[in-house]
Amino acid sequence: IKEQREYVAIAFYPRDDKRLLATLTSTPNQYIYLWQWDKSRLHFPQPLSMVSHTSYGTQISFGKYDPSLLLVTGMGECYKFY
């Protein structure tokens, strides 16, 4: 991560090991970061693309029935799967 960012939401992987952590950064350029928590390793940064400039993410979660999916919800037209 090249610059410091403020995190607005985090979610732990819902399985027993809880080794993965997903984070969502603040606006204006929001990113999703997936971390391997037990090794302090960043897996990938993913920019959060929105339909409009007034939309932004406020929450992140792993899928309830399929934890390989990430869901970002928020204000405006923000409802994204990754």
Side-chain angles (χ1 to χ4, degrees):
I1 303 172
K2 294 181 180 178
E3 57 189 67
Q4 288 186 333
R5 294 190 178 268
E6 177 181 313
Y7 294 97
V8 295
I10 64 168
F12 281 98
Y13 190 72
R15 299 287 190 227
D16 292 334
D17 57 10
K18 298 196 185 321
R19 284 187 251 175
L20 293 178
L21 174 71
T23 58
L24 177 65
T25 64
S26 62
T27 56
N29 298 317
Q30 288 193 289
Y31 275 81
I32 295 170
Y33 293 111
L34 186 63
W35 302 84
Q36 190 171 358
W37 180 253
D38 60 340
K39 298 190 181 188
S40 301
R41 190 175 299 159
L42 177 65
H43 279 284
F44 72 89
Q46 174 69 38
L48 186 62
S49 57
M50 291 295 158
V51 176
S52 72
H53 295 292
T54 59
S55 300
Y56 57 93
T58 58
Q59 297 179 355
I60 190 167
S61 60
F62 286 93
K64 182 176 182 179
Y65 299 107
D66 183 359
S68 66
L69 295 175
L70 280 172
L71 173 66
V72 176
T73 57
M75 302 301 291
E77 298 176 21
C78 178
Y79 188 79
K80 303 284 267 183
F81 285 99
Y82 291 90

